[in-house]
Amino acid sequence: MGPSGSGKTTLMATVSHRTKGNFQGELLLNGHPVSEEVMIKISGFVPQQDISFDQLTASEHLRLMANLKMDRRTTAGARSECIGRLVAELGMGEFADTTLSLLSGGERKKVTLAVQLLNDPPILFCDEITTGLDSYAAAHVVDALKRIAHTGKIVVCTIHQPASGVFDKFDDVVLLSNGRLVCQGPIAMVNQLFQKFDYKCPDLYNKADFVISILNSENEKVKQNVDEMCKLSSTENQININYDLFNDQIQFDYTQHLRMLKPLWITQLILILNRSIVCMLRNYKVKLLELGTLMFLGLILSMPYLNLKFDVKAVQNWQGFWLCLMTNSIFQYCYTSIITYQTEFSVVHREISNNIYALSVYYISQIIITFIWTVLESLIYTYLVFWIVGIKWEFLLVTTFVINMLICRSYGSVLSAFFEKFENIVIFSLVYDYLAVSLCGAYISLGSLPSIFYYLKYFSIFFLGCETMLILQWRDISFIPCFNVNNCLRNGKEVLLSYGYDINRFNTDLLILVTFYILSYAFGYYGLLRRTKKQPAY
């Protein structure tokens, strides 16, 4: 316990090996150094911030975490029994089937606590467990923790300013002030230490409030006394006394946790993919809004080309339609995917840091979800647009369009993976889009480009998209009606050449698009992997 900024969360994260920073000194368990891998396996960590996939119910979240955290050799019946016992012990029966987004602060704390108790860890860390709760809810949570401690577990909590009566429920206390140890030991020791400096808590006054007021005081005399307390508590002799007392009283066997087998990679993928599908379906309003916006834009785009004819104005009209369709669709698909990892990655980051599942599991599940949704969305979109314009809904034409839109989604996803801040995504995409759009062929004949820019067009998804679709449009056109024989494009091949497109480059473009798709997601994985090296939100 200590004032804000005293180092409570930092100490908790360091001792539990949840920090990504470096620290000096030794971290010992039963007198032996303990690694990050071992500590994460044998301990649970209830974070201060309750972040999760809010579309799941409490029981669904518990079942998912049970399948991911518990030994894969555990039977389904044993998992269900464990979940049922935790639900009963923590009083979660009334809201077990309620979605997490509708739970109160105290109820969410209980769910988070239950998740950490699923694999029965011998050590439980709880950061700011009562913050944001009313006095009744705080007392109820602390009572639950006390019952857990009485089963033989070590329960370590950071607490800011507990309500009256909550402070005395704890067995031992560590007081911190500006990153320094003020006192460590039983609650009675705190009273003795403070009375030694003539500080006595008034009757009917919250003892915790009194302690915090002393540690947080700006009075110079009080500051000197706190400094003296730190010196007394930080002597080597006092530290050895606390260390020996702890190791004499508490011993536990955690070897069974080190022998636990995680679920197979494919099992993890199925579980996380199922969660993603459930969350997407329950968040259907957002997807319907996205689809509705796309349909509306498709309607606006295609209406000027209603029942487009193949006449003397065919070249300008058809070229205008395809170039307009591709450039606008690429922008739409790219910009709807740049938020892919902005909203939920904080939850995933924490779960990966706690070794619940692999980053590759989450990443592959997102690729699958994006693939399915993009294909479905594109099929509906092309059916509407092609029907209005009068284009035959052919397999190769639709498939090529879908492939281009998948590439757009992969491009947006890699931006979302690399950049945490939305403004950085916008800055980078503006630079790329300015160059890529100018090379698409709509504004300049690609055949007239300087040699220095010639190969840059292959890095433009706008060029690749426009060329592949226009090749399919014009490659079978052997005759174009024309009145002005002196200024006439006689067939589809001449139309393509006039814009700088090559009718023989279709397979090459598709190969480049597939390569772009694979490399984009490869770079995106690296971007997320780089972000996981940072400290997760605790």
Side-chain angles (χ1 to χ4, degrees), residues 17 30 39 83 98 125-126 133 153 175 184 186 192 208 225 237 258 278 296 307 347 366 400 419 469 498 506 529:
H17 264 310
N30 286 348
M39 180 59 82
I83 293 172
T98 306
F125 296 98
C126 304
L133 304 182
K153 300 182 189 299
L175 297 181
Q184 177 182 354
Q192 296 172 7
N225 289 336
N237 183 49
L258 301 182
V278 169
F296 179 71
N307 291 323
V347 184
Q366 286 300 110
T400 303
F419 300 106
M469 299 305 294
S498 69
F506 181 77
L529 186 63

Side-chain angles (χ1 to χ4, degrees), residues 42-291:
I42 67 173
S43 67
F45 193 102
V46 181
Q48 179 180 349
Q49 300 180 31
D50 299 314
I51 52 176
S52 57
F53 288 84
D54 289 344
Q55 294 83 7
L56 300 178
T57 65
S59 58
E60 287 173 340
H61 183 55
L62 285 175
R63 285 196 297 271
L64 171 68
M65 289 296 128
N67 282 297
L68 290 170
K69 290 171 67 72
M70 297 176 73
D71 195 313
R72 69 170 181 245
R73 294 166 294 189
T74 306
T75 63
R79 290 195 189 97
S80 297
E81 182 181 349
C82 176
I83 293 172
R85 176 173 50 80
L86 289 173
V87 168
E89 289 179 357
L90 297 175
M92 297 168 52
E94 293 182 358
F95 57 87
D97 295 321
T98 306
T99 55
L100 297 176
S101 60
L102 300 177
L103 299 183
S104 66
E107 290 169 343
R108 291 178 69 99
K109 289 283 187 184
K110 288 182 179 180
V111 174
T112 308
L113 180 58
V115 168
Q116 299 305 318
L117 293 172
L118 284 169
N119 57 344
D120 195 30
I123 307 174
L124 182 64
F125 296 98
C126 304
D127 189 22
E128 299 281 4
I129 192 68
T130 61
T131 298
L133 304 182
D134 59 65
S135 56
Y136 174 79
H140 197 273
V141 169
V142 172
D143 284 336
L145 291 174
K146 195 168 184 68
R147 289 195 299 271
I148 292 169
H150 286 167
T151 64
K153 300 182 189 299
I154 301 172
V155 181
V156 185
C157 303
T158 64
I159 197 163
H160 177 62
Q161 210 157 344
S164 179
V166 171
F167 181 67
D168 290 319
K169 293 179 183 292
F170 290 91
D171 302 305
D172 295 272
V173 65
V174 174
L175 297 181
L176 297 178
S177 176
N178 294 320
R180 299 173 302 166
L181 177 65
V182 178
C183 179
Q184 177 182 354
I187 298 294
M189 183 184 293
V190 177
N191 298 329
Q192 296 172 7
L193 179 64
F194 274 64
Q195 288 175 6
K196 183 176 181 179
F197 290 87
D198 296 326
Y199 298 126
K200 184 177 181 181
C201 180
D203 294 336
L204 303 179
Y205 193 81
N206 187 336
K207 191 181 300 182
D209 287 341
F210 176 73
V211 170
I212 294 295
S213 67
I214 298 298
L215 300 181
N216 213 22
S217 176
E218 294 296 326
N219 183 282
E220 290 300 324
K221 177 61 177 175
V222 176
K223 285 184 177 181
Q224 291 177 6
N225 289 336
V226 172
D227 289 340
E228 189 63 29
M229 293 180 191
C230 293
K231 292 177 182 178
L232 290 173
S233 300
S234 299
T235 61
E236 186 174 349
N237 183 49
Q238 184 62 45
I239 291 174
N240 287 336
I241 290 174
N242 290 328
Y243 174 77
D244 293 336
L245 180 65
F246 177 82
N247 279 279
D248 285 342
Q249 291 182 344
I250 301 174
Q251 293 286 337
F252 55 84
D253 180 22
Y254 53 82
T255 53
Q256 63 173 358
H257 291 81
L258 301 182
R259 292 196 296 264
M260 288 178 60
L261 296 178
K262 292 181 60 178
L264 298 173
W265 187 91
I266 189 64
T267 305
Q268 296 179 32
L269 177 61
I270 293 171
L271 292 169
I272 298 302
L273 181 60
N274 180 66
R275 178 178 70 176
S276 299
I277 293 173
V278 169
C279 290
M280 185 181 75
L281 293 177
R282 291 183 181 167
N283 201 27
Y284 68 93
K285 291 182 180 179
V286 174
K287 290 300 180 183
L288 286 180
L289 178 61
E290 180 185 323
L291 180 60

